[in-house]
Amino acid sequence: MRQFIIGIICLISVSIQAQQRDTLLGTYFAALSAHHLYDGNIALAEKGHKVYSYSGGYADYAAQKPNTAQSRFNLASVSKIFTSTAILQLKDKRKLKLNDEVAKYLPSFPFKGVTIRHLLTHTSGLPNLELYEEVIKQYPDSVISNAAILPLLRQWKKGLYFTPGDQFRYCNTNYTLLALITEKITGVPFPAYLEKNIFIPACMKDTYVSIYGSNKDPLRVKQQIKPTYYDSVYLPADQVKRYRYSEYNNQASIGPSNIITTMDDMIKFDDAFFSGKLLSLSTIEEAITPVKLNNGKEHTEQMDTMLGEGTGQYGLGWEIFNLPAYGKGVGHGGFKFGLATFYYHNLSRKQMLVAYTNGNSKFGDNVTSCFYMLNNHPPLPLDFKTSAVRAYAKALMEQGPDHAACMLHLYMADTTHYYFSTREMNFLGYDFLYESNNKEHQQWSLETFKLNTFLDPANFNTYDSYGEALLECGHREDAVSMYRKSLELNPISEDGIRAMKKLGLMRE
């Protein structure tokens, strides 16, 4: 009887905690919705069961099409987990060994000593997206596909950045090669392999690999972004000039990115993966074990992650989060201009979180708050304030520098409604500078950077940025003065030293 009563009390306690959690989450997301502070989808699950989900904002701003639970997002670099799983399945089937050299499967691969393990752990020393720069300069409308990678690597003259295994250096090329290896061993296209061996076994009916040039998916969200701090309208990211290289020229690569899915399908993947439906349990453990470098030490970074302070490591395609308050978790983050993704699985608590955004959000704070609430802790305080820098930019463009400076003083004094960031001010200066072929934008750039040196006089970077703008606009002597001031505050500033050497005022 006593055990029965204790059991009843435990059930009641769990029920109360669940109600409190639901209340926290409901209140939080109601506030996000009311103030339009999140575009995207978030889902939380525990022990394989969804406990809460939210969809908000627009899948397509131009069409005013809302995000829904069925909206499909590009996972960006979260896709690497699926590529890793494909390779590890082949390991489980004894079709490959992780210490096999890449050239065993891709004979035209030009670098000796690079193994499949090096690719999985980003310790290969291979070049990243800079691999494509020269061909894009010659053929600006090119879209790089997986088929171009091996020929481009053979043309690469700079060699490996380091001896394989010596360092960790995140590199998308690694995962393009892993997709090619999967195709070489299995004899089927990479998307077809994932469909048969991962998506179908995990019951992921709304998931596929995006193939460049394939039919449009009406449920897929748009990558949309306000191009600058002075823009008020969202545009598709691949149509913005400054993002063209990553979002247009590099849009076709599969392996590192381009898995399209929903939040519910990611819950299904999480359950399938950690229950052993896709890999052996020993291989799962190997996948989430930190990589050891050639010196025998685990690669570890001190991180202020989305889920709080801790250390970050990398396994076989998995990011590893060690958070003192919550224990070990694994997952991956992804980013493309106009889109961000995050997937997290807490090993001891059997909790998972998946979050996507394609517009307006403070993504890191939102993700952190959700994890806190999943564990019955209050979220981070919501900030409903307006950016003083965006308001300043509007005033500057509409009524000129004197009016804008006056208004900025008023915005900064009104801390109830506005927040100010010198970092945003610096970004705004570069936004104007980027359009410096426009004389008016050129002057606005100088005005913004100049004002920032007075607002943040102890920051070497404000003078460095102002110096760059002055030099770009033809004011050499004034630029030199600003670079000297920057180096006075930070003598080891790489940008300042590089600029002074380029100006002939420092020796190489």
Side-chain angles (χ1 to χ4, degrees):
M1 177 63 74
R2 182 172 180 273
Q3 289 181 334
F4 175 76
I5 292 172
I6 291 173
I8 293 294
I9 291 171
C10 288
L11 286 173
I12 292 172
S13 175
V14 169
S15 177
I16 290 172
Q17 286 183 347
Q19 290 175 9
Q20 291 173 339
R21 180 172 65 192
D22 288 348
T23 300
L24 277 173
L25 288 162
T27 302
Y28 179 80
F29 282 109
L32 286 186
S33 181
H35 293 85
H36 194 77
L37 294 177
Y38 192 86
D39 290 293
N41 289 354
I42 294 179
L44 310 174
E46 198 164 55
K47 298 178 181 177
H49 300 289
K50 184 167 64 176
V51 299
Y52 200 91
S53 64
Y54 173 81
S55 298
Y58 293 100
D60 184 342
Y61 267 96
Q64 291 289 284
K65 181 180 178 181
N67 277 313
T68 70
Q70 288 72 47
S71 295
R72 295 172 181 154
F73 288 74
N74 190 330
L75 285 178
S77 283
V78 178
S79 302
K80 291 180 173 66
I81 285 175
F82 291 83
T83 304
S84 164
T85 301
I87 288 290
L88 294 176
Q89 285 180 338
L90 297 177
K91 181 196 83 90
D92 276 351
K93 294 173 184 176
R94 300 185 178 181
K95 299 288 183 69
L96 59 76
K97 295 178 181 177
L98 299 188
N99 290 329
D100 287 342
E101 290 202 13
V102 173
K104 178 178 179 179
Y105 303 98
L106 304 174
S108 62
F109 180 74
F111 301 108
K112 292 183 179 181
V114 178
T115 67
I116 292 174
R117 187 184 300 276
H118 291 138
L119 300 182
L120 284 166
T121 56
H122 295 294
T123 57
S124 67
L126 289 167
N128 197 8
L129 300 185
E130 64 272 17
L131 177 64
Y132 320 136
E133 287 179 354
E134 289 305 315
V135 71
I136 298 302
K137 285 178 183 177
Q138 293 181 53
Y139 308 101
D141 292 330
S142 297
V143 175
I144 303 297
S145 67
N146 284 27
I149 301 306
L150 288 170
L152 288 173
L153 283 172
R154 290 195 297 272
Q155 295 170 25
W156 180 255
K157 304 300 183 185
K158 299 179 182 179
L160 298 174
Y161 288 126
F162 50 82
T163 300
D166 272 3
Q167 299 178 34
F168 173 91
R169 182 166 176 162
Y170 193 86
C171 174
N172 288 284
T173 308
N174 294 325
Y175 277 73
T176 306
L177 291 167
L178 290 170
L180 292 173
I181 289 170
T182 303
E183 292 181 333
K184 184 74 172 182
I185 292 173
T186 63
V188 299
F190 187 64
Y193 178 89
L194 294 187
E195 175 74 18
K196 180 180 178 180
N197 295 279
I198 299 179
F199 302 157
I200 290 176
C203 300
M204 300 172 72
K205 296 179 181 179
D206 295 312
T207 302
Y208 62 93
V209 177
S210 176
I211 301 170
Y212 177 69
S214 60
N215 293 332
K216 299 291 184 181
D217 176 0
L219 293 176
R220 182 173 171 180
V221 305
K222 300 287 187 183
Q223 287 175 234
Q224 47 202 6
I225 195 166
K226 292 178 181 177
T228 69
Y229 270 88
Y230 55 78
D231 280 302
S232 59
V233 176
Y234 282 94
L235 294 176
D238 61 356
Q239 295 179 16
V240 179
K241 183 179 177 183
R242 66 169 65 186
Y243 307 132
R244 179 178 169 83
Y245 182 71
S246 63
E247 306 312 322
Y248 174 78
N249 300 123
N250 287 291
Q251 66 178 301
S253 180
I254 58 175
S257 183
N258 283 329
I259 288 179
I260 313 300
T261 191
T262 64
M263 57 183 174
D264 285 348
D265 267 15
M266 277 303 292
I267 294 175
K268 293 173 184 176
F269 169 78
D270 181 79
D271 182 58
F273 185 90
F274 287 99
S275 65
K277 291 180 181 177
L278 304 177
L279 296 172
S280 67
L281 295 180
S282 61
T283 297
I284 292 171
E285 187 60 34
E286 187 176 7
I288 58 177
T289 297
V291 58
K292 285 187 178 180
L293 302 176
N294 289 339
N295 61 11
K297 295 181 180 179
E298 292 181 352
H299 166 73
T300 303
E301 296 178 353
Q302 194 68 33
M303 299 176 68
D304 182 8
T305 69
M306 289 192 192
L307 304 177
E309 292 184 2
T311 57
Q313 298 175 303
Y314 207 87
L316 303 177
W318 289 79
E319 292 180 336
I320 301 166
F321 308 95
N322 301 298
L323 307 173
Y326 299 102
K328 182 178 177 179
V330 297
H332 215 288
F335 173 82
K336 294 173 76 67
F337 287 105
L339 180 140
T341 59
F342 188 68
Y343 160 56
Y344 174 82
H345 177 102
N346 186 283
L347 293 165
S348 60
R349 298 173 185 236
K350 294 182 171 55
Q351 296 172 334
M352 75 86 69
L353 177 155
V354 60
Y356 315 132
T357 185
N358 66 319
N360 180 41
S361 74
K362 292 188 175 180
F363 192 57
D365 287 353
N366 298 143
V367 169
T368 302
S369 290
C370 285
F371 186 69
Y372 287 170
M373 290 184 287
L374 185 58
N375 289 283
N376 292 99
H377 299 306
L380 298 172
L382 285 172
D383 187 355
F384 304 121
K385 296 177 183 178
T386 299
S387 167
V389 171
R390 289 191 186 276
Y392 165 78
K394 186 173 184 291
L396 178 61
M397 296 176 74
E398 290 180 354
Q399 298 191 50
D402 293 333
H403 170 76
C406 291
M407 293 307 299
L408 182 59
H409 282 294
L410 297 180
Y411 299 143
M412 292 175 66
D414 183 4
T415 55
T416 301
H417 299 99
Y418 293 91
Y419 73 91
F420 175 75
S421 164
T422 55
R423 188 166 178 264
E424 286 188 7
M425 198 74 167
N426 200 61
F427 287 148
L428 175 62
Y430 279 111
D431 284 340
F432 286 134
L433 187 63
Y434 191 76
E435 300 291 340
S436 60
N437 56 321
N438 179 315
K439 291 294 184 182
E440 196 167 33
H441 279 67
Q442 194 176 85
Q443 291 305 311
W444 290 339
S445 172
L446 292 173
E447 179 69 20
T448 301
F449 283 128
K450 176 177 67 178
L451 195 54
N452 214 25
T453 63
F454 292 104
L455 293 168
D456 196 7
N459 184 351
F460 78 93
N461 191 56
T462 63
Y463 301 99
D464 183 284
S465 299
Y466 188 26
E468 185 176 344
L470 286 164
L471 192 61
E472 183 75 20
C473 296
H475 306 298
R476 188 179 187 279
E477 290 186 14
D478 290 336
V480 170
S481 297
M482 290 299 97
Y483 278 124
R484 282 179 172 154
K485 178 64 177 178
S486 172
L487 289 169
E488 179 185 314
L489 292 170
N490 181 11
I492 60 172
S493 167
E494 292 182 6
D495 289 339
I497 291 171
R498 190 181 301 113
M500 293 296 274
K501 286 180 177 179
K502 188 174 181 180
L503 289 164
L505 299 173
M506 289 183 70
R507 292 182 180 178
E508 292 290 340

